[in-house]
């Protein structure tokens, strides 16, 4: 069964690539490129102007997994012919074993700003040029829409993940998805909504995203904010507030962003939102102990990385209705397998927690995705022309 599933997944990906590449013929000595994991067919317009005589481009619109040895071999077989690969975030990781199995690879074009699943040291060793796409758009052309770029998040500007985090918090608190389902099935009202003013927002990871989410909680809903990360102290929390134009404390002397220990955060927060970097040390950061500390009325939201939460512990808590609601945008395995419990089990009934899931949409924003592909296309053109690569990592 696993073998057939892997073959079917590869076949779908290759089929999508051929659909895009109809009419483009590969000439001898013309470099070949594959654009991976373009689920929503965003890439094509940014590369359509590049002549087939300059580079032969395929697009894989379905994910090609590498969870088993068989899948890894199939992925290597599909990628070996290409000298240029465009990756979308970390949808397809590039560990040492994969990079060493791609002798033709010369240029790896990445998107985003985090590359924990890319072995950059090995890429450098192998002479593979790796470049990022930070999301600022092409340097040689203005934005196609003529719109200014989003404000700098370090100054309180919006980021797609910040927006998505609040979409999930509000959807859980206001029963949006559940009421929608009730209305469409002939019913009317599922449950009382949870008001946010005066509630406590717990932020795990007080970096730029965590701080931006916290800022909205303070300004839009008058929430109290408690925060934790390994090296966070009150001085750093105060500085984070000041950097976002917020006072460090209110008129009663209460800290705007209050640094607390992890246990205190989980025990007191009405909403817990994760914005932590995944590493070997942070895997399973939210475990049974932390979940047991949470209020029965609490909401847990993860738009960071699936492995930050012990999935078995979270499933057990959700099945027992330990907390009111859970919203997940990220999972340990993506795309989420068809038979995964988060997909197939009934949530929010029979004493179970409400569960809201989205397919890793935190960064899948029209503007950002198009800017990433625009930057990728610009770097491809520069590489073909023998010019210096922009945003080079190695």
């Amino acid at each position: 069964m696993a073998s057939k599933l892997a073959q079917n997944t590869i076949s779908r990906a290759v089929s999508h690539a051929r659909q895009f590449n109809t009419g483009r013929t590969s000439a001898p000595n013309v470099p070949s490129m594959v654009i991976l994991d373009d689920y929503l067919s965003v890439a094509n317009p940014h590369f359509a102007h590049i002549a087939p005589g300059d580079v032969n481009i395929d697009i894989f619109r379905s994910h090609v997994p590498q969870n088993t040895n068989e899948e890894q071999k199939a992925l290597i077989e599909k990628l070996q012919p290409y000298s240029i690969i465009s990756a979308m975030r970390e949808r397809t990781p590039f560990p040492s074993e994969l990079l060493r199995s791609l002798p033709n690879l010369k240029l790896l074009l990445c998107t985003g700003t985090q590359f924990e699943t890319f072995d950059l040291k090995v890429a450098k060793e192998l002479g593979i040029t790796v470049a990022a796409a930070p999301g600022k758009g092409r340097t040689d052309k203005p934005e196609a829409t003529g719109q200014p770029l989003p404000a700098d998040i370090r100054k309180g500007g919006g980021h797609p993940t910040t927006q998505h985090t609040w979409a999930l918090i509000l959807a859980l608190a206001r029963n949006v998805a559940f009421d929608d389902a009730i209305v469409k099935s002939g019913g009317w009202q599922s449950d009382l909504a949870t008001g946010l003013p005066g509630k406590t927002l717990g932020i795990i990871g007080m970096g730029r995203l965590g701080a931006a989410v916290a800022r909205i909680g303070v300004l839009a809903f008058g929430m109290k904010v408690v925060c934790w990360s390994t090296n966070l102290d009150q001085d750093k929390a105060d500085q984070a507030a000041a950097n976002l134009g917020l006072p460090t404390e209110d008129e009663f002397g209460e800290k705007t962003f209050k640094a607390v220990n992890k246990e205190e955060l989980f025990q007191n927060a009405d909403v817990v939102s994760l914005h932590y970097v995944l590493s070997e040390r942070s895997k399973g950061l939210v475990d049974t102990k932390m979940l047991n500390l949470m209020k029965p009325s609490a909401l847990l939201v993860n738009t960071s990385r699936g492995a930050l939460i012990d999935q078995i512990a979270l499933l057990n808590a959700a099945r027992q209705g330990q907390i009111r609601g859970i919203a997940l945008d990220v999972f340990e395995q993506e795309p989420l397998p068809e038979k995964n419990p988060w997909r197939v089990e009934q949530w929010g009934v029979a004493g179970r927690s409400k569960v809201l899931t989205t397919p890793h949409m935190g960064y899948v924003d029209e503007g950002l995705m198009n800017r990433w592909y625009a930057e990728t296309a610009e770097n491809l053109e520069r590489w073909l022309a023998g010019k210096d690569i922009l945003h080079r990592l190695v």
Side-chain angles (χ1 to χ4, degrees):
M1 181 62 72
S3 173
K4 290 181 179 178
L5 181 60
Q7 291 172 359
N8 290 340
T9 304
I10 297 292
S11 297
R12 287 198 300 271
V14 174
S15 174
H16 284 310
R18 287 173 178 161
Q19 289 170 22
F20 169 80
N21 210 27
T22 300
R24 298 177 75 116
T25 56
S26 182
N29 302 320
V30 172
S32 58
M33 173 181 181
V34 62
I35 299 171
L36 299 177
D37 302 310
D38 184 19
Y39 301 158
L40 300 176
S41 302
V42 181
N44 190 7
H46 297 282
F47 298 88
H49 65 283
I50 301 176
D54 294 330
V55 60
N56 190 59
I57 301 176
D58 290 331
I59 295 181
F60 287 5
R61 294 176 182 148
S62 297
H63 181 65
V64 183
Q66 52 177 316
N67 300 308
T68 66
N69 289 335
E70 182 181 29
E71 290 174 346
Q72 291 167 8
K73 290 177 182 177
L75 177 62
I76 290 168
E77 181 181 344
K78 297 306 173 187
L79 297 186
Q80 274 186 341
Y82 297 102
S83 51
I84 309 162
I85 295 176
S86 169
M88 176 48 62
R89 287 286 300 263
E90 298 166 329
R91 292 176 181 176
T92 296
F94 281 84
S96 170
E97 297 79 7
L98 179 56
L99 290 172
R100 293 186 188 281
S101 301
L102 303 176
N104 294 316
L105 182 59
K106 300 293 184 289
L107 177 64
L108 179 57
L109 297 168
C110 309
T111 49
T113 57
Q114 295 185 358
F115 310 99
E116 289 87 355
T117 63
F118 293 72
D119 196 325
L120 299 180
K121 182 178 179 180
V122 168
K124 183 176 182 179
E125 174 192 327
L126 297 174
I128 301 169
T129 299
V130 184
K136 298 179 180 179
R138 293 185 68 119
T139 63
D140 58 345
K141 297 177 183 178
E143 282 282 287
T145 60
Q147 297 297 318
L149 292 175
D152 189 340
I153 192 171
R154 289 169 296 182
K155 300 178 181 179
H159 186 284
T161 303
T162 306
Q163 298 172 51
H164 198 70
T165 299
W166 274 105
L168 293 177
I169 293 173
L170 290 170
L172 271 183
R174 306 303 305 182
N175 303 319
V176 172
F178 309 99
D179 280 346
D180 175 71
I182 287 286
V183 170
K184 289 175 179 175
S185 64
W188 194 251
Q189 298 187 353
S190 63
D191 199 357
L192 293 172
T194 297
L196 296 177
K199 292 293 198 315
T200 298
L201 172 63
I203 300 292
I204 300 292
M206 203 60 173
R208 54 179 190 149
L209 291 177
V213 169
R215 176 178 182 268
I216 293 171
V218 171
L219 294 180
F221 302 107
M223 299 183 77
K224 301 173 184 177
V225 173
V226 293
C227 46
W228 173 88
S229 60
T230 303
N231 298 313
L232 183 69
D233 57 26
Q234 191 56 56
D235 287 342
K236 292 177 181 176
D238 288 345
Q239 188 61 54
N243 289 344
L244 293 172
L246 298 175
T248 58
E249 58 184 38
D250 63 18
E251 63 270 29
F252 304 107
E254 292 288 331
K255 289 294 184 180
T256 303
F257 296 164
K258 183 179 179 182
V260 298
N261 63 49
K262 186 169 61 171
E263 289 76 12
E264 184 179 347
L265 186 149
F266 278 91
Q267 192 168 25
N268 295 324
D270 299 290
V271 179
V272 175
S273 186
L274 273 61
H275 305 279
Y276 212 77
V277 175
L278 180 63
S279 66
E280 284 301 319
R281 187 172 64 174
S282 64
K283 282 183 180 178
L285 181 74
V286 182
D287 56 12
T288 298
K289 178 184 176 182
M290 294 300 112
L291 292 169
N292 287 343
L293 290 173
M294 295 182 73
K295 300 176 181 179
S297 59
L299 309 176
L300 176 64
V301 178
N302 189 9
T303 56
S304 186
R305 292 292 184 272
L308 290 171
I309 305 179
D310 181 325
Q311 293 299 299
I312 294 176
L314 186 61
L315 278 166
N316 288 337
R319 287 166 176 155
Q320 295 169 20
Q322 232 173 275
I323 58 177
R324 176 187 170 97
I326 299 163
L328 303 173
D329 185 49
V330 289
F331 306 90
E332 286 194 82
Q333 185 178 342
E334 297 180 4
L336 199 61
E338 292 180 6
K339 300 299 183 180
N340 186 278
W342 297 121
R343 281 191 189 269
V344 300
E345 294 191 20
Q346 294 296 309
W347 301 108
V349 297
R352 291 180 165 215
S353 301
K354 293 183 177 181
V355 175
L356 185 62
T357 57
T358 51
H360 205 154
M361 293 295 290
Y363 63 86
V364 186
D365 174 272
E366 181 179 12
L368 182 58
M369 294 286 285
N370 277 288
R371 288 195 295 274
W372 277 343
Y373 279 125
E375 291 167 332
T376 300
E378 181 181 11
N379 256 339
L380 173 62
E381 294 165 23
R382 294 179 69 90
W383 188 79
L384 293 171
K387 298 180 180 179
D388 289 340
I389 295 293
L390 303 173
H391 320 299
R392 184 167 178 167
L393 299 174
V394 297

